[in-house]
Amino acid sequence: MSNLKIVYTKFHEIVESYTSEINLSSTAQWLALIEKVRSRIDDDDSVLDDFPTEPSDNLEDWLFLYFFLNPDEYSQKIDVAGKVNTPSFCERVWSIQNQAGEILIEDRWPN
């Protein structure tokens, strides 16, 4: 179960989804993700000190780190047409899915 997919979806006036493949055994991908997050948070913030240098098996760690990325940093945008009837509200959903599209873990903002 090392190759999974992270999906970010936002519901605003239109529904947009972004996705990237994640490999739970890739040290290079894990360290690159940590460095991207480090570049976005205050250097004095020790939130990243608790993360291992080897790729985490904990899906919550991956999900937490992806909260800090911008949508354009995902490798693919999934175009979804349609209007949402709540233009002043924007819900965001992050999920990690297996190759069959089954959601393994999910978090929402606001929840």
Side-chain angles (χ1 to χ4, degrees), residues 9-15 84 89-93 108:
T9 304
K10 65 180 182 175
F11 301 89
H12 198 45
E13 291 184 22
I14 61 171
V15 176
V84 175
F89 176 75
C90 184
E91 180 183 13
R92 293 175 169 87
V93 178
R108 295 174 177 269

Side-chain angles (χ1 to χ4, degrees), residues 61-103:
D61 291 344
W62 288 84
L63 203 60
F64 175 80
L65 293 172
Y66 268 90
F67 287 163
F68 293 94
L69 297 188
N70 295 319
D72 61 351
E73 294 177 288
Y74 287 72
S75 62
Q76 182 181 8
K77 179 179 179 180
I78 304 169
D79 293 320
V80 179
K83 293 282 185 184
V84 175
N85 293 328
T86 55
S88 63
F89 176 75
C90 184
E91 180 183 13
R92 293 175 169 87
V93 178
W94 290 263
S95 65
I96 295 180
Q97 303 174 5
N98 62 18
Q99 294 299 321
E102 299 168 324
I103 296 173

Side-chain angles (χ1 to χ4, degrees), residues 5-48:
K5 180 173 30 175
I6 182 91
V7 178
Y8 167 69
T9 304
K10 65 180 182 175
F11 301 89
H12 198 45
E13 291 184 22
I14 61 171
V15 176
E16 297 177 4
S17 293
Y18 303 83
T19 185
S20 289
E21 297 291 323
I22 57 175
N23 182 338
L24 298 182
S25 61
S26 172
T27 301
Q29 186 178 19
W30 175 252
L31 293 176
L33 178 59
I34 289 175
E35 287 310 309
K36 279 184 186 180
V37 172
R38 190 180 312 281
S39 72
R40 285 170 177 69
I41 60 177
D42 187 1
D43 290 334
D44 295 331
D45 193 343
S46 61
V47 69
L48 297 177

